[in-house]
């Protein structure tokens, strides 16, 4: 912990660099003094199971090791740790030729001693230090010293990311989990907007996750949009990259509903960003990505009244590929009519989970879904149609009850499937053929149905920087890949090669546009595919508020090929389809 005395070698280095005022180590030391010693060394989540860390012997903490093993795949446990990322793809140096620059357990069996016996725990791609941000003042100081002393920074809440846009090797991590503000507003008026109508809204601190926001909104008879996982941060990369929800079909994207941000920009200033104050920054934060324009302290979101809604879970009896293909055919054929009726959800190949806030009657829902229900019944599948009294009730019953495991080394590559794929028989047959081909390759379809199709019927939003392709889309489709905890570099490169080839197959249907949070991280033309026509304007705003590029993160505005080649993904940058 930096609050204690530093080792003599560090002190000597610091003294040698005082005159230059550009040494990051000295800058960290000086910053820490202004923060009463609150900067701490970051330790890998799995470290208690190891007896060696960065080549030095350490105490093996048996009790804490058992705790980490028991909770290794638990997202709620991981989000409470600064070193806890949902997917360990972010934590390892994946390009290490020896595949040793990491500190992992075996996610399929966390008690497997092969992961730690005779193995040195290394930081990998994890930040070296962290600071729990508790106020705007903390962030102002961090940016001031980072700019002066060239301290590398990264920003993280729960670490719900597949790439290194929430942490990087050698950085000081600004951890926002402790920003726990929650406030309900019956009549919210954005600051400085004197003539603006009041909104029913909720303000959330940057550390608040979707599950916490849902529970709070429900207690105040409101419905707030956020992600499908309880640990996704509402104020972070989710909303700043667009923010999809399975309610987005009816109520739009997160960027369409955010009313105001409080943010510390890299020039060290606390700012309010809304339509009346710093409107250029407000525009950039609504679609231009997290972790690059500043550290968001809180955001305020338009909410709906608490309402009943109908859930539908329809399942096939087996995972037989021929049966799944027929199921997907039918879902493609009915996609537009179901969207018109208000449905959104997730398709998992053998089943789907849908929700509809416009229908609160099981008979009406069965009429809307009759084609799907008839098919599922004909093959002896199951159909569950039920009315939940609120979004939070649905979330508890259908999402939290089947909480997914994390701690894996996952890569994904989804792209936005445009509406026109579903409008002609020729296009629909191409999409059906794609799913059949993927099934033959052993890839079970996974399709988020979360585009703002119905919401734009009353007018397409024009005041955000989100990728415009969102407003022409209906589904997300894609491919994925996964590293094993003990993969060799060659094996990892083979996974990336497969991901690139799969992304190429998808792009033939979609034109390549993608939601950055769930895109192939090795997308060659990422500026175009993730930001569209807005990238140049976003770069200008980035230069205005962060002229020294204090904040740099993977695939974020301002990121360069030089940055990529210096990253833990350097070994994959020349792999193409």
């Amino acid at each position: 912990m930096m609050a204690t005395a530093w080792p003599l070698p560090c002190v000597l280095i610091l003294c040698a660099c005082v005159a230059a005022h550009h040494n990051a180590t000295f800058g960290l030391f000086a910053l820490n003094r202004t923060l009463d010693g609150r900067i701490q060394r970051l330790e890998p989540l799995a470290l208690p199971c190891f007896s060696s860390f960065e080549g030095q012997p350490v105490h093996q903490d048996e009790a804490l090791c058992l705790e980490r093993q028991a909770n290794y795949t638990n997202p709620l446990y991981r989000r409470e740790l600064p070193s806890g990322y949902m997917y360990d793809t972010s934590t390892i140096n994946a390009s290490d030729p020896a595949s040793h620059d990491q500190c992992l357990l075996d996610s399929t069996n966390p008690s497997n001693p092969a992961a730690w016996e005779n193995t040195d725990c290394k930081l990998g791609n994890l930040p070296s230090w962290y600071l729990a941000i508790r106020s705007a003042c903390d962030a102002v100081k961090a940016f001031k010293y980072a700019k002066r002393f060239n301290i590398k920074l990264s920003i993280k809440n729960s670490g719900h990311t597949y790439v290194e846009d929430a942490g990087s090797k050698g950085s000081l991590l600004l951890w926002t989990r402790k920003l726990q503000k929650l406030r309900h507003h019956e009549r919210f008026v954005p600051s400085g907007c004197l003539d603006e109508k009041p909104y029913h809204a909720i303000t959330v601190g940057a550390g608040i996750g979707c599950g916490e926001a849902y529970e709070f909104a429900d207690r105040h008879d409101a419905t707030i949009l956020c992600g499908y996982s309880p640990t996704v941060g509402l104020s972070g990369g989710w909303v700043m990259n667009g923010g999809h929800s399975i309610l987005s079909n009816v109520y739009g994207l997160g960027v369409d509903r955010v009313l105001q941000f409080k943010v510390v920009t890299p020039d060290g200033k606390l700012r309010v960003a809304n339509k009346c104050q710093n409107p250029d920054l407000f525009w950039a934060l609504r679609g231009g990505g997290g972790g690059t324009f500043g550290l968001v302290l809180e955001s305020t979101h338009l909410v709906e009244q608490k309402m009943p809604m109908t859930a539908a879970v329809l399942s096939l009896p087996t995972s037989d590929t021929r049966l799944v293909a027929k199921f997907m055919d039918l879902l493609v054929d009915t996609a537009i009519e179901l969207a018109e009726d208000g449905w959104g959800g997730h398709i998992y190949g053998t089943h789907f989970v849908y929700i509809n806030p416009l229908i609160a009657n099981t008979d009406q829902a069965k009429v809307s879904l009759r084609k799907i229900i008839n098919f599922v019944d004909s093959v002896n599948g199951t159909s569950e149609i039920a009315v939940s009294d609120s979004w939070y009730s649905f979330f508890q019953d259908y999402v939290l009850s089947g909480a997914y495991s994390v701690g894996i080394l996952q890569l994904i590559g989804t792209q936005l499937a445009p509406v026109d794929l579903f409008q002609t028989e020729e296009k629909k047959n191409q999409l059906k053929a794609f799913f059949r081909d993927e099934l033959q390759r052993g890839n079970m379809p996974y399709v988020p149905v979360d585009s703002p199709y119905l919401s734009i019927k009353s007018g397409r939003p024009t005041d955000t920087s989100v990728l415009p392709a969102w407003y022409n889309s209906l589904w997300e489709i894609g491919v994925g890949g996964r590293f094993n905890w003990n993969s060799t570099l060659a094996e990892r490169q083979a996974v990336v090669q497969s991901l690139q080839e799969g992304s190429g197959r998808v792009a033939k249907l979609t034109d390549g546009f993608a939601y950055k949070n769930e895109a192939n991280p090795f997308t060659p033309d990422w500026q175009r595919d993730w930001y569209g026509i807005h990238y140049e304007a976003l770069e200008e705003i980035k230069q205005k508020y962060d002229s020294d590029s204090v904040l740099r993160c993977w695939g974020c505005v301002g990121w360069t090929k030089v940055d990529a080649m210096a990253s833990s993904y350097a070994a994959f940058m020349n792999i193409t389809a």
Side-chain angles (χ1 to χ4, degrees), residues 3 56 78 88 144 147 154 193 200 209 217 223 227 317 327 331 346 349 391 426 432 441 449-450 502 518 536 564:
Q56 299 297 317
R78 281 185 171 239
D88 277 319
K144 175 183 175 181
K147 186 173 182 177
S154 51
C193 298
H200 186 197
T223 304
F327 187 49
L331 293 178
H346 290 94
W391 163 258
E426 179 184 3
K432 293 174 185 178
R441 295 172 184 271
V449 182
D450 49 17
E518 297 168 2
E536 288 186 5

Side-chain angles (χ1 to χ4, degrees), residues 30 52 56 70 95 164 252-253 260 268 288 301 367 438 458 467 495 575:
S52 172
Q56 299 297 317
S95 295
E164 56 176 68
L253 298 171
Q260 180 170 287
H301 301 257
V367 171
E438 291 302 307
S458 59
L467 177 68
V495 170
I575 298 176

Side-chain angles (χ1 to χ4, degrees), residues 407-420:
I408 56 178
L409 290 97
Q410 183 71 42
L411 294 170
I412 62 172
T414 68
Q415 297 172 30
L416 299 176
V419 175
D420 66 13

Side-chain angles (χ1 to χ4, degrees), residues 74 148 153 188 218 404:
N74 182 343
R148 182 178 179 187
L153 297 179
F188 177 81
D218 194 74
Y404 61 91

Side-chain angles (χ1 to χ4, degrees), residues 160 162-163 165 210 226-228 232-234 236-245 248 253-255 287 289-290 412-417 448 450-451 466-467 469-470 473 475-477 510 512-521 523 526 528-531 555:
H160 209 287
Y162 298 97
V163 294
D165 56 358
C210 293
C226 196
Y228 205 62
V232 168
L234 177 51
W238 176 81
V239 68
M240 286 186 275
N241 279 303
H244 67 45
S245 160
S248 288
L253 298 171
V255 290
I412 62 172
T414 68
Q415 297 172 30
L416 299 176
D450 49 17
S451 293
V466 75
L467 177 68
W470 265 114
S473 66
W475 287 3
E476 282 183 274
I477 59 175
T510 66
F513 293 115
Y515 179 40
K516 177 184 180 289
N517 291 345
E518 297 168 2
N520 177 352
T523 301
W526 57 269
R528 178 254 187 201
D529 291 352
W530 301 349
Y531 301 97

